[in-house]
Amino acid sequence: MKNSIVVKDNALINASYNLDLAEQRLILLAIVEARQSGKGINANDPLVVHADNYANQFNVHKNTAYATLKSACHALFLRQFSYQQGSADNIEYAKSRWVSEIRYIENEGIVKLIFAPAIVPLITRLEKHFTKYELEQISNLSSAYAIRLYELLVSWRSTGETPVYELNEFRQILGVKETDYPIISDLKKRVLDISIKQLNEHTDITVKYEQHKKGRSISGFSFTFKQKKVMKAPSSSDEVSVKNAFSKMTEKQRFLFANKLAELPEMSQYSQGTESYDQFAIRIGEMLKDYRKFEKILPNLKKVGFQIR
């Protein structure tokens, strides 16, 4: 699903909702599935998300993808979001569920979901106000808040800066509950700083934020961001060399280098945190069987002695 495009109406980008990481990823994959299959999105026909696609897109083990999607199905059905529509003289405040129906097919490892009627036009309408971005950009974000912040920022891509978001509005947009991180220093440390760090490391933009005060208290935040410089594409000969190295890597080499990579600090972004080095090495070995992931990990492979000839 490389270069898969996600499109959302900015009314939805700015909606107040609280989804966890797996639920956001499930919805994004469903949007991509609708666009790539040509089926489109409506309130009657189900969209299918495969656990294999989830595992490949977000660099998780297949078994983890199965369990994650099954759990996400139950949680997503209960989720609601709020949004505003209408003119300045007649604002309508609305609430809706995300999905009207969702099911997990155990033996096939797939999710079938139907978006709720209210959300269909917000996702499919490509009129004046919409944001599109590559799913690849958020694939390595492990914070649900980071995904929400990325969506919010790229809706201002034309200017590279946002207006000031008042504190309560900012919490609602990112889905931070009133009871979560009531102390502003905790909100900055646990939500804002982590999100900014992940966006700067893993996406196509670099971000800075400014805090605004009323008196001595922080009242809101604004953001400025820049597009990262596009790296020069490798030459055709370089690409051939990489493909040859991938195709010639033996099982023994894959096992050897996977174990070396598991102990490399630079690989921590792929770790699931609770797994042992041996478990991490096994998962890395599986990743090395996928050319796209092999290519992504290649700089670290070279650090542990892998050579391209």
Side-chain angles (χ1 to χ4, degrees):
M1 282 197 172
K2 193 172 184 179
N3 298 325
S4 302
I5 301 296
V6 176
V7 178
K8 288 186 180 180
D9 190 285
N10 277 358
L12 185 58
I13 298 295
N14 289 287
S16 303
Y17 60 84
N18 183 20
L19 301 177
D20 70 16
L21 184 64
E23 293 157 19
Q24 289 197 49
R25 287 173 167 179
L26 174 56
I27 285 174
L28 294 176
L29 285 176
I31 294 172
V32 169
E33 161 64 20
R35 291 177 59 80
Q36 291 188 336
S37 66
K39 291 171 60 177
I41 297 174
N42 60 60
N44 299 308
D45 300 316
L47 295 169
V48 178
V49 175
H50 294 262
D52 286 351
N53 287 344
Y54 188 100
N56 291 332
Q57 185 67 54
F58 301 114
N59 296 323
V60 299
H61 192 275
K62 198 176 296 184
N63 291 340
T64 300
Y66 293 149
T68 300
L69 287 180
K70 186 175 182 179
S71 175
C73 282
H74 174 73
L76 185 57
F77 183 72
L78 302 176
R79 297 292 193 184
Q80 299 177 353
F81 72 97
S82 58
Y83 61 102
Q84 298 177 18
Q85 285 186 327
S87 64
D89 297 329
N90 188 23
I91 299 176
E92 298 179 7
Y93 298 92
K95 286 187 176 182
S96 171
R97 289 185 182 273
W98 277 91
V99 295
S100 59
E101 181 180 308
I102 190 166
R103 62 183 67 187
Y104 179 76
I105 293 82
E106 185 90 42
N107 293 337
E108 300 177 43
I110 62 174
V111 172
K112 291 184 178 180
L113 65 86
I114 300 176
F115 282 112
I119 207 153
V120 170
L122 296 179
I123 294 176
T124 59
R125 187 172 61 222
L126 307 182
E127 299 175 354
K128 293 180 181 178
H129 307 294
F130 72 91
T131 297
K132 65 179 180 179
Y133 59 90
E134 294 180 359
L135 185 59
E136 189 76 11
Q137 295 302 328
I138 57 92
S139 292
N140 290 319
L141 302 181
S142 59
S143 164
Y145 300 130
I147 294 177
R148 294 286 294 121
L149 182 59
Y150 180 80
E151 290 183 332
L152 180 65
L153 293 178
V154 296
S155 69
W156 296 94
R157 197 187 289 276
S158 61
T159 61
E161 59 182 282
T162 73
V164 177
Y165 289 98
E166 295 297 321
L167 190 55
N168 286 339
E169 179 188 15
F170 183 69
R171 282 178 171 274
Q172 290 174 354
I173 290 174
L174 260 64
V176 183
K177 298 176 183 177
E178 292 182 7
T179 53
D180 290 342
Y181 316 119
I183 300 174
I184 192 67
S185 59
D186 289 339
L187 177 70
K188 289 169 61 178
K189 181 179 179 181
R190 301 294 183 184
V191 176
L192 199 48
D193 292 342
I194 289 176
S195 296
I196 295 290
K197 184 175 186 292
Q198 290 193 10
L199 295 189
N200 288 339
E201 287 182 357
H202 300 304
T203 72
D204 57 349
I205 58 176
T206 54
V207 187
K208 294 180 181 179
Y209 74 89
E210 182 179 352
Q211 58 189 33
H212 299 264
K213 292 185 176 182
K214 288 181 179 178
R216 295 183 178 181
S217 301
I218 294 174
S219 59
F221 301 99
S222 62
F223 301 84
T224 56
F225 61 98
K226 294 181 179 179
Q227 195 75 22
K228 291 179 182 176
K229 293 182 179 179
V230 179
M231 298 297 290
K232 184 179 179 182
S235 66
S236 57
S237 60
D238 289 339
E239 188 173 353
V240 169
S241 296
V242 173
K243 287 183 177 179
N244 285 339
F246 170 74
S247 63
K248 292 180 180 179
M249 177 178 267
T250 65
E251 284 294 321
K252 185 177 180 180
Q253 288 177 316
R254 189 174 292 112
F255 175 80
L256 172 66
F257 286 109
N259 278 276
K260 290 184 177 181
L261 286 169
E263 298 184 5
L264 197 66
E266 290 87 337
M267 289 293 292
S268 60
Q269 61 178 297
Y270 301 105
S271 174
Q272 294 179 355
T274 57
E275 59 191 349
S276 66
Y277 279 114
D278 288 341
Q279 291 171 327
F280 189 25
I282 291 172
R283 194 158 56 78
I284 292 173
E286 291 298 314
M287 291 168 65
L288 291 175
K289 294 179 181 179
D290 183 310
Y291 176 72
R292 182 171 65 85
K293 295 174 184 175
F294 173 90
E295 190 178 23
K296 200 169 186 178
I297 296 173
L298 185 57
N300 289 329
L301 271 170
K302 291 179 178 178
K303 288 182 181 180
V304 295
F306 183 74
Q307 296 182 354
I308 296 180
R309 297 173 182 175

